[in-house]
Amino acid sequence: MKKIFKILGGLLALVAVAILGFVVWVQARGIPTYDPPKMAVQPVAITPARVLQGEKIVTAMCADCHLDRSTNALTGKFMNDLPPEFGKIYAANITQDKTHGIGSWTDAELVGLFRTGIGRDGRFRMVMPNFVHMSDEDVNSVIAFLRSNNALVKAQPIPSHEQEPSFLGKMLVNTVMKPTPVPAKPVLDPDTTDGVAYGHYLVVGRYKCYECHSKDFKTNNALVPEKSEGYLAGGTRLLTPTGQEILSRNITCDEETGIGDWTEAQFVQAVRFGQGPNGPLKLPMPKFTLMSPQEARAIYAYLHTVPKLKNATAEDGGGTVATR
Ligand code: HEC
Ligand code: HEC
């Protein structure tokens, strides 16, 4: 008997040492640093068409985090819609200021960050999404817009806030949140005349609907989005701007719990203007106001080819949001 206790005690001590070691390792590493990605990128030619396309993408995909309402520019802000257990995370100033913004970043450094999540100094950028499947041309358009004379990106000398991740935040950034590899091949534009292919690109590449609309950020698959758990069937926990928990909804075409009974016109209205058939959609569902009707219709066509999943979220009377 005594011997067993001794062995158990020894095992417990080992486990305790292992946990302590892990805690010390995570604290010491903090936000990890990697080799900055080496990108073979030509300087991006700034054309009016790219600036226009870039505006559409940046207002839909970047402004929610980087726009500060008090400057009305992309000067960054405290991310108050992030669950507080991750710590305090701040989106950076991405205006053209050479010291505090991205005015001195090269095009290759920007592309490197968008593709991998690693900054030019090697520091991993937490929470900043990576754009693995965005086409090279769309990435170029984003850069052209960031270099344009739009008021959103005009140089403003406002320092970016340092990140203050909690222990959990540091743990995640050392375990599940990882840089993504530099794409091995050019990422081509989709065939926009093929509705389903175009819609697929919009859902995983340009607008990343799948990221919010699958089961959980933690089980999303950045490299093969379709392998994300509960792909497009909703359930990811998010916060409204006033801090209430909200679940993303099922946008597969399951008739009962998804959008299988929606008409194309209802869908286009919901995505572009936030007006669903049963009432307005709450933030953080973005309003894709600059999205063209053709894009919204392509997404609708693609969603009709995605495997239907049954997942009742709050509006179907299921999956009620847990209160903390
Ligand atoms: C979910 C919120 C979120 C979205 C969406 C987002 N970002 Fe960020 N971004 C951040 C955060 C947070 C940081 C700072 C991360 C850090 O310092 O670790 C950041 C950092 C950056 C940086 C690095 C700046 C620096 O000085 O380090 C650039 C450039 C950038 N974002 C551009 C963009 C662009 C362009 C888009 C849209 C295509 C975008 N971001 C979308 C949250 C976001
Ligand atoms: C930042 C996270 C986020 C992103 C990105 C996002 N959504 Fe949503 N979406 C939500 C949330 C949260 C809701 C639920 C809103 C509510 O309950 O009022 C929602 C609701 C919807 C609905 C209503 C479904 C229903 O049953 O009422 C549709 C349709 C939809 N989103 C489509 C899209 C499409 C298409 C995209 C990409 C172009 C997209 N969403 C991107 C978070 C997001």
Side-chain angles (χ1 to χ4, degrees):
M1 210 49 191
K2 260 194 182 157
K3 203 170 175 190
I4 288 228
F5 279 130
K6 251 194 191 156
I7 294 173
L8 274 181
L11 278 178
L12 274 178
L14 269 181
V15 170
V17 168
I19 292 175
L20 190 73
F22 180 69
V23 169
V24 170
W25 179 75
V26 166
Q27 285 291 16
R29 258 170 78 93
I31 301 178
T33 296
Y34 302 89
D35 287 336
K38 297 223 171 4
M39 308 297 300
V41 171
Q42 301 300 320
V44 176
I46 302 176
T47 64
R50 278 187 174 151
V51 172
L52 209 63
Q53 173 75 353
E55 180 179 11
K56 178 165 87 175
I57 300 174
V58 169
T59 50
M61 300 304 295
C62 322
D64 278 338
C65 292
H66 286 279
L67 176 68
D68 180 351
R69 297 264 165 222
S70 64
T71 59
N72 256 327
L74 302 182
T75 50
K77 67 168 169 77
F78 170 54
M79 303 274 318
N80 63 336
D81 46 2
L82 214 69
E85 52 266 31
F86 296 117
K88 290 191 178 154
I89 306 295
Y90 302 81
N93 179 349
I94 58 167
T95 70
Q96 291 160 3
D97 190 87
K98 286 204 160 49
T99 312
H100 303 295
I102 54 152
S104 63
W105 287 51
T106 65
D107 294 346
E109 287 166 347
L110 286 172
V111 177
L113 170 69
F114 299 154
R115 293 302 191 196
T116 67
I118 304 171
R120 63 173 178 175
D121 51 1
R123 183 172 61 83
F124 186 64
R125 297 296 192 263
M126 270 183 95
V127 178
M128 164 70 193
N130 48 42
F131 294 91
V132 179
H133 302 285
M134 190 180 276
S135 73
D136 293 333
E137 183 49 36
D138 275 353
V139 170
N140 289 346
S141 296
V142 167
I143 291 174
F145 178 76
L146 294 176
R147 310 274 196 225
S148 74
N149 50 23
N150 190 292
L152 283 175
V153 292
K154 196 174 151 253
Q156 299 223 29
I158 298 173
S160 293
H161 204 291
E162 217 177 292
Q163 308 302 335
E164 300 166 7
S166 63
F167 178 72
L168 175 71
K170 284 184 203 159
M171 199 174 87
L172 289 175
V173 85
N174 277 291
T175 50
V176 290
M177 292 177 183
K178 286 271 162 174
T180 37
V182 172
K185 296 183 296 219
V187 189
L188 302 176
D189 267 338
D191 174 359
T192 55
T193 62
D194 174 345
V196 172
Y198 190 25
H200 171 248
Y201 170 70
L202 299 175
V203 166
V204 304
R206 185 179 293 162
Y207 298 121
K208 294 182 79 179
C209 318
Y210 87 92
E211 228 178 28
C212 285
H213 277 282
S214 302
K215 185 174 174 204
D216 191 328
F217 288 127
K218 294 199 279 299
T219 48
N220 279 345
N221 188 324
L223 294 182
V224 192
E226 298 78 5
K227 288 197 181 156
S228 302
E229 232 174 278
Y231 180 60
L232 297 178
T236 292
R237 272 168 204 283
L238 295 149
L239 293 183
T240 65
T242 50
Q244 268 143 343
E245 278 199 25
I246 184 170
L247 299 183
S248 68
R249 296 186 183 179
N250 185 348
I251 59 168
T252 71
C253 289
D254 178 56
E255 282 78 9
E256 242 177 88
T257 62
I259 58 155
D261 54 348
W262 288 31
T263 65
E264 188 190 69
Q266 284 173 326
F267 180 82
V268 172
Q269 185 74 7
V271 176
R272 293 182 68 216
F273 306 110
Q275 285 299 326
N278 308 315
L281 298 177
K282 295 197 202 89
L283 282 167
M285 167 65 193
K287 283 189 192 49
F288 294 92
T289 323
L290 297 182
M291 181 190 282
S292 71
Q294 189 212 357
E295 286 177 295
R297 287 196 296 265
I299 296 175
Y300 183 79
Y302 167 65
L303 291 177
H304 279 264
T305 69
V306 169
K308 297 178 188 179
L309 291 177
K310 225 175 242 330
N311 181 32
T313 41
E315 82 285 2
D316 311 303
T320 37
V321 179
T323 42
R324 271 184 289 181

